[in-house]
Amino acid sequence: MRRSDQPQSALGKAIRQLRTERGMTQEALAHAAGVTVSHLSTIERGHSNPTWATVKAIAVALRASVSAIAAAADKIEQ
């Protein structure tokens, strides 16, 4: 099993995947989560290590659990 040296990349990809599955734009998700589009973009590209509070806010906005996001990221990372 391969593990990335930068798990935030898998987290960002998982967030993007869930967002697109739900038909949400970055703008809509950012607004719903209370973050800027720029910040969400850096998270999705794996260039930012978001705080726990930000991940929780994104999860709520996606109507997903943090554990669902973590599971999606884990699948991507493998």
Side-chain angles (χ1 to χ4, degrees), residues 32-48:
V35 298
T36 65
V37 175
S38 176
H39 189 198
L40 178 60
S41 177
T42 61
I43 292 168
E44 286 190 354
R45 288 181 285 127
H47 295 165
S48 176

Side-chain angles (χ1 to χ4, degrees), residues 4-78:
S4 172
D5 291 338
Q6 297 183 335
Q8 65 269 24
S9 177
L11 174 64
K13 288 177 184 176
I15 290 169
R16 178 182 294 133
Q17 178 181 355
L18 290 169
R19 175 179 60 76
T20 56
E21 285 174 4
R22 284 157 174 74
M24 295 179 80
T25 63
Q26 280 188 333
E27 292 82 6
L29 179 56
H31 178 74
V35 298
T36 65
V37 175
S38 176
H39 189 198
L40 178 60
S41 177
T42 61
I43 292 168
E44 286 190 354
R45 288 181 285 127
H47 295 165
S48 176
N49 193 10
T51 65
W52 179 248
T54 299
V55 174
K56 286 176 67 176
I58 290 170
V60 168
L62 287 169
R63 295 188 176 132
S65 65
V66 172
S67 61
I69 293 173
D74 194 44
K75 287 175 81 172
I76 290 167
E77 197 175 36
Q78 291 182 3

